[in-house]
Amino acid sequence: AVNRPDVQGNTALMKAARHGNCRALARLLDNHADHTLRTDLGGTQAIHYAVKDGREGCVRELVKRFTATVLHSMDYEGRNAWALTHFNPWIMPILDELRG
């Protein structure tokens, strides 16, 4: 049930990332929420919401746990986390720092 999407294709993990609820995001991940699931519209994943909406804590948590997959995962328009930093440019140095 942790991965069940709503009618728009969003999971609880995506909603936590979008709204910056890092505690809920971490708890969902601890309970096997799938960070690779995509919305029906646009192929958006939790990392894309966190970057686009400037949710630094959620970005850090997702990258800390899944560096390789989240940083290079693309939405249906071919945009990865770095491409989405134009919404919040201050996130780019954080991504660079976390990439190591």
Side-chain angles (χ1 to χ4, degrees):
V2 71
N3 291 314
R4 182 176 295 142
D6 63 15
V7 295
Q8 296 171 323
N10 294 303
T11 64
L13 185 67
M14 292 172 192
K15 290 178 183 181
R18 175 177 245 169
H19 297 290
N21 190 336
C22 302
R23 181 178 287 164
L25 183 132
R27 189 135 193 194
L28 288 161
L29 291 171
D30 290 343
N31 285 287
H32 310 291
D34 186 349
H35 72 282
T36 66
L37 292 178
R38 301 171 183 278
T39 61
D40 288 339
L41 305 171
T44 308
Q45 295 177 320
I47 188 66
H48 303 133
Y49 283 125
V51 169
K52 185 177 176 184
D53 294 331
R55 307 304 188 184
E56 179 181 348
C58 294
V59 169
R60 287 184 179 280
E61 185 67 27
L62 286 162
V63 174
K64 178 179 78 173
R65 292 183 189 227
F66 310 106
T67 304
T69 55
V70 298
L71 289 179
H72 301 291
S73 179
M74 294 186 194
D75 64 14
Y76 294 153
E77 293 181 30
R79 300 176 301 184
N80 63 14
W82 277 279
L84 293 168
T85 60
H86 73 276
F87 291 101
N88 288 293
W90 58 271
I91 291 283
M92 186 175 289
I94 294 166
L95 293 178
D96 290 336
E97 167 199 328
L98 295 170
R99 177 177 55 179

